[in-house]
Amino acid sequence: MPHWEQFAPPRDTHATSDTPGTTVDGVLARMRALDAALPPRDGVAVFNRVYLSVTEEVDRHIDTGRFADARAAITLDVRFAERYLAAVDAAMSDRRPPACWRPLFQFRRHPGVRPLQFALAGINAHIGHDLALAVVDACRSLGCEPADLEDEFDRAGDLLVALEERIREELMPGPDLLQIADPLTHLLGSWSLERARDATWSAARALWALRRLPDVAEEFTDRLDAAVGFAGRMLLTPLPD
């Protein structure tokens, strides 16, 4: 298994004053290193390729001025990516990642789990849990309220929805594999990125409102983590050949 030191980010551009040394280019470099190091069929590698394409798309939109507040978009993007990379770091160091990520790491080499399941289980963990916490992290860094980041949240979410459709088309088995496609279609039809995104925005607002009640906020976060992990385990149900 590759050592995490291989993925340490250089000091790059696209930094904010609140995140010195942690940049969009830095997290992209870490994801590209993971892509090069992991076997292509590994479940983490499958999700990493998806997330890398999403982050590259967000980066292009930032560069071309598609986000009204580039600083806010960069901060949210970096805080969001850091949570995924921290989960990878934990797993590679034989520490327990958050509950939402454990199913992907546990089933990453299971022969009965299809690439599309790996991709959507990773999206479920990252959107359902990490994004809500990343909104709170970004608000603290920027000294703002969640409402001030809603435009950036929505624009990034729109990119994710468009990419999810492409991912489903690219990774869904073809007509010659209908025996697999039928249960796969049934399983994955029970999860929706748009519904997950809406729930995440509500969770972020709730966590922000609970920031002065740390015990309650911690309990809320733990329950969110567990619920998202349960959904991820269902998405990774092994299917027959």
Side-chain angles (χ1 to χ4, degrees), residues 104-146:
L104 181 60
F105 287 108
Q106 290 167 354
F107 284 80
R108 62 192 294 183
R109 297 181 183 89
H110 197 295
V113 179
R114 310 304 168 192
L116 180 57
Q117 292 174 264
F118 289 133
L120 293 186
I123 293 172
N124 168 70
H126 205 36
I127 297 295
H129 173 264
D130 292 356
L131 184 53
L133 275 62
V135 169
V136 174
D137 292 341
C139 286
R140 286 176 171 150
S141 292
L142 296 167
C144 68
E145 300 281 327

Side-chain angles (χ1 to χ4, degrees), residues 108 134 162-163 223:
R108 62 192 294 183
L163 284 167
R223 291 182 182 277

